[in-house]
Amino acid sequence: MADQHHQAWWRSAAIYQIYLRSFADGNGDGVGDLAGLRSRLPYLAGLGIDAIWIVPWYPSPLADGGYDVADFRAIDPIFGTLAEAEKLIEEAHAAGIRVICDIVPNHCSYQHAWFQKALASAPGSPERDLFWFRKGRGPDGEQAPTDLQSIFGGSAWTRVPDGEWYLHLFASEQPDFNWDHPAVRDEFEDIVRFWLDRGIDGIRIDSAAVLIKDPLVSDVYEDNEGIHEIYQSWRRISDTYTPPRALIGELWLPDHEAFARYLEPNELHTAFNFAFLNAPWEAAKLRYEIDMTLEVHAPVAAPATWVLSNHDVTREVTRFGREVTNFAFAEKRRDVPSDLDLGARRARAAALLIMSLPGAVYLYQGEELGLEEVEDLDDALREDPMFHRSGGVNPGRDGCRVPLPWSGTEAPFGFSPADATGEPWLPQPAAWAGKTVAAQEGDPASFLELYRQALRIRRTEPSLGDGPMRWLDSDPEVLAFARDDTFANVTNLGTTPAYLPPHREVLISSVPLNADGTLPSDASAWLRLS
């Protein structure tokens, strides 16, 4: 079993998330694309990551940043072509980088051919059975079938001209599939095969726990009976490929035992660790989440995952600089002050912490540059339905999706070519001139070089990645653990310097040690013990 686990790359991988619209613009229209990503593969290889995860690249009207999919077997022309996606997979493999794509099984775009046929068909038709069309309440059916609320705010039901209502757990432009219908299950099994046949190494499953539901009976739409049969069938498909491909679940489940059931040996290979991501910058709470994560994963022999941010979450430099450092969608508000210098210091320490924990690590593009959340976007530029459906109370997720700065002293900072005809789809802050890749390269104190050095060590250090860990004696405000008899991590979340355990060498530290060899506050260090 150990040898089998050793061969399973997803157990120890450093995986870099690509938000394609904002990574690199190859054709100069202001939107990131496959040409831009292909041109930056050398950068990714040099960074030291093992795989990239690309958010939906499918044709989409972009009502929800591409998670409203109009065609699951094609590439949106704004990004390129299917042939170009296949070329990307080939070139990434040649560079030693695996490729993970997103599949969105809970819903599609209102422009999807199936939904358009459903709208054109009569109530009770087979076309409508593929979705959740229902009659409304009241004498004329003018009230929604239930009071169920959308995750994005407002009712989860929208009425169509003939009087019926359809369900959408997210935006109204994202109708939910009816997963009780065998045609839906067959369709997605075919979609899974379609992408695996093209060399995709893994599939990230969006909103993986909400597929099965009966919205007229219950407003509980997470982790319902029958959900596991779906992923067991997908696992049987993935296991027919050599080597087997990874299935990765997006599971926002507070129940740890329920979470673990998705990671049984015949189901998903791994899942995102949102409990750790949501935790505040506090030693006791982080230690609890680390212990709980490892405890939950152990019985099913699944690898843990660690992540600080993604395309949905306030960037950690901003989050860790606030008085309240945890993340929760329901609590996200505008105009919350942040000490970005403090946030950056903590983000550097947190990066070394997660890269040394057992299992796989996910990095979000721009994290390695120390980018902060862009919070002063003009409201007219904001696209996120979370912003619009909350009436502007929730600032939405656009602030963590601003295009990356690559070089130069003014926008677009190398995101687009010099002869670009379009502005970046979201504006970049002028202050990012000092945070471009070019500005940070070669600077040993920069975020970029910290990440490069840590990822190099992580790839070559046998004790890192998947495997055991043990806590070391330390102050309550210090997280100190060993991965074996030769490697240790110490992260100081307290307000006073921390003494390091006996060691032979400091491999890397998020900030320089004090003159007396102690670890400063809000800092992390990797140690060679013997």
Side-chain angles (χ1 to χ4, degrees), residues 16-30:
Y16 185 97
Q17 182 190 356
I18 303 285
Y19 192 78
L20 196 53
R21 295 175 77 194
S22 299
F23 186 69
D25 169 21
N27 64 5
D29 64 356

Side-chain angles (χ1 to χ4, degrees), residues 476-487:
E477 295 302 310
V478 175
L479 300 176
F481 56 87
R483 293 302 312 275
D484 60 13
D485 294 334
T486 64
F487 178 94

Side-chain angles (χ1 to χ4, degrees), residues 336-351:
V336 180
S338 178
D339 180 341
L340 295 182
D341 289 337
L342 175 62
R345 183 183 181 93
R346 288 173 170 173
R348 291 170 63 92

Side-chain angles (χ1 to χ4, degrees), residues 372 374 376 402 405 407-413 427-436:
E372 73 275 16
V374 181
D376 59 354
V402 173
S407 60
T409 57
E410 59 184 25
F413 298 118
Q428 303 151 304
W432 280 7
K435 296 185 177 182
T436 68

Side-chain angles (χ1 to χ4, degrees), residues 421-456:
T421 58
E423 298 290 326
W425 71 280
L426 285 175
Q428 303 151 304
W432 280 7
K435 296 185 177 182
T436 68
V437 171
Q440 297 195 43
E441 282 187 320
D443 178 0
S446 70
F447 258 89
L448 178 58
E449 295 302 338
L450 176 77
Y451 270 71
R452 284 178 171 171
Q453 185 181 356
L455 287 166
R456 280 196 298 269

Side-chain angles (χ1 to χ4, degrees), residues 57 70 81 92 131 134 137 192 220 250 278 347 358 420 457 475 495 507:
W57 48 10
T81 65
F131 300 92
R134 294 296 184 269
R137 295 176 292 177
V192 168
V220 176
E250 183 198 25
N278 294 345
I457 296 172
D475 182 275
T495 57
L507 298 172

